[in-house]
Amino acid sequence: MEFIDAKLAAALVAGTDQRERKEIEDLARQRLCFLVDYAREHSPYLKEKYEDLPENYRLADIPISTREEMTELFDRWVCDPEITTEKVDEYVADFENLFTPFLGKYRVISTSGTTAQPLRIVRDSRHIAIHDALMAERYFGGPLLKDVEGLNEPDLKQCAIVAPGGLNSSYLSFERVRRSYKARGIEDRTLFLSTLAPAEEMIRKLNEFQPDVIGCYPSVIYTLAFEQKAGRLTIHPKIIGCSAEKLPEENRKFISEVFGCPVNDNYCSTEGGEVAMLCPNGHMHVNSDWVIVEPVDRENNPVPCGVKSEGILMTNLACLVQPVIRYRMTDSVIMHDEICGCGLNTPWIDIDGRVDDILEFDHNGTTVRMPAVLFELCAKDIPGCDHCQVIQRAHDAIEMRISVMPGYDRVETEQKILFSFRQLFESNGLGSIRIELVNKPLERTRSGKLRIAFKEFV
Ligand SMILES: [Zn+2]
């Protein structure tokens, strides 16, 4: 069970999500026991942590883990003594390294983390084989996309509209595709577009390129759907894959109708891998044979199905080298155990993810739509910028609120952010937008969430 190659992974994944619920749960249970045994044998820290587990332990008996614990005790957490924080940091510091295996056999994911300690996750070949198989079988081969013709052709024109940046997983996946195309001499069948590119440039390049496959953020493709509807954008992709933000079902239907192709979505995480995938009924089915998601409240007590949780405990049953077992995450979900009707017998979840607000401006009679993710990306790499908020106060005016990290000059940081925003507006033909910087705390919703951008005027 320790070593799983691509062939075995495909066999283990195929059809399992259509088996009886009890059978799927039993498989997960066996894999959990294997993982816990492995962790106790190979991880110096987890050996101590799990010392008092009863003989016939239940999932709930296993102590909960936190991000702080995992990052601080990383060297003693991992199951291979060759892996150290120092070596991982050195490896991720050079972008080129990310395309050759770490220590000859692992893949590394790390958050960039400017304030907090970065989270480093090492994935072994077992994880990679299983999660590749989950993608092949349940995403591309799943009920939503299985009937799309020509999806297996090796030279499909691939386009990614994502944020550039070395450690961003969507960017990295696209870069892997680009490099493999380059090696085959067909690099011109890939197109990378930065989410921050002006809408006009995006439309022109997409019309020229005519992608078969598009990977993007839901809010960005949603704004592009309006361009397609208006006839300025005329592309005919075979599929559109969304990630990273919540994709409301009505937006998914609209995008799918306008582009005339299926729109897929999945829920993946650094710690859990490919956690859940969409079915034609619009339900996110958990890959519960390989990933366990436990909805919990603030104190980590279990939250029943149908009730919104305040967090989840994630268990990744595929990765052995860095065990993720009952690991606390702040994602809020509603678990559904009722049968979906799509043929899959796995439970499904509503993820209370971020739905990006979209601001609308007028440019010579056409509407320019800017999703909040643009504002966030525009500010994120400016040193000292903690958060910024854009409140649209009129058709041609926005108010900005900025929180600056301690130790940075407020005025200097604000000026840099303002400059970057002016450039963003100008590049979208909106140079006349009035920007007012207001020195007030950032507004939060009643539940404490920060909205990056919203409209507030009558
Ligand atoms: Zn379903």
Side-chain angles (χ1 to χ4, degrees), residues 188-396:
D188 60 349
R189 295 185 76 77
T190 62
L191 173 68
F192 172 79
L193 286 172
S194 162
T195 313
L196 286 172
E200 244 170 66
E201 180 188 325
M202 237 185 239
I203 292 165
R204 179 175 48 81
K205 289 192 172 166
L206 282 167
N207 281 339
E208 269 169 30
F209 181 69
Q210 291 296 323
D212 296 316
V213 178
I214 300 178
C216 52
Y217 302 122
S219 58
V220 173
I221 196 70
Y222 182 64
T223 61
L224 285 170
F226 287 94
E227 299 295 334
Q228 175 93 359
K229 205 165 181 227
R232 288 184 288 273
L233 181 66
T234 45
I235 54 171
H236 312 282
K238 289 177 193 292
I239 59 164
I240 293 171
C242 292
S243 61
E245 292 165 356
K246 186 180 166 80
L247 171 61
E249 186 59 9
E250 63 271 23
N251 292 15
R252 188 174 76 89
K253 284 187 176 145
F254 174 71
I255 302 166
S256 176
E257 257 170 46
V258 169
F259 288 105
C261 72
V263 176
N264 209 344
D265 190 16
N266 61 345
Y267 168 45
C268 53
S269 81
T270 307
E271 297 90 342
E274 304 298 338
V275 179
M277 290 167 187
L278 203 66
C279 81
N281 292 346
H283 294 151
M284 248 334 156
H285 284 264
V286 180
N287 290 313
S288 58
D289 47 345
W290 286 104
V291 183
I292 301 174
V293 175
E294 298 171 73
V296 289
D297 66 13
R298 197 167 298 190
E299 278 82 42
N300 291 324
N301 300 307
V303 168
C305 290
V307 178
K308 192 162 149 180
S309 80
E310 288 186 64
I312 54 170
L313 302 178
M314 179 75 78
T315 301
N316 175 352
L317 298 169
C319 192
L320 298 177
V321 70
Q322 184 177 350
V324 172
I325 305 170
R326 306 198 80 216
Y327 173 96
R328 164 89 194 188
M329 293 172 66
T330 51
D331 299 34
S332 163
V333 304
I334 299 174
M335 182 70 76
H336 295 267
D337 64 350
E338 59 266 36
I339 295 297
C340 166
C342 68
L344 303 181
N345 277 326
T346 45
W348 44 281
I349 45 175
D350 285 332
I351 301 146
D352 188 25
R354 176 175 135 184
V355 179
D356 235 354
D357 291 279
I358 296 173
L359 301 187
E360 295 182 344
F361 301 95
D362 180 69
H363 173 49
N364 297 337
T366 58
T367 306
V368 177
R369 293 177 178 83
M370 300 180 84
V373 66
L374 292 192
F375 304 120
E376 194 180 22
L377 290 172
C378 189
K380 123 176 144 39
D381 292 329
I382 293 170
C385 176
D386 183 19
H387 290 293
C388 70
Q389 187 166 53
V390 176
I391 308 168
Q392 188 175 11
R393 293 290 189 198
H395 290 291
D396 60 350

Side-chain angles (χ1 to χ4, degrees), residues 7-26:
K7 201 174 155 195
L8 178 57
L12 287 171
V13 164
T16 316
D17 50 354
Q18 290 147 48
R19 290 200 207 165
E20 291 298 316
R21 179 76 56 95
K22 171 84 173 56
E23 253 186 277
I24 301 172
E25 285 169 0
D26 287 348

Side-chain angles (χ1 to χ4, degrees), residues 164-175:
L167 294 167
N168 170 350
S169 68
S170 316
Y171 179 68
L172 265 184
S173 321
F174 174 76
E175 187 56 20

Side-chain angles (χ1 to χ4, degrees), residues 418-431:
L418 273 180
F419 180 74
S420 169
F421 271 68
R422 287 220 169 83
Q423 276 189 321
L424 176 71
F425 280 109
E426 270 168 30
S427 68
N428 281 285
L430 299 170

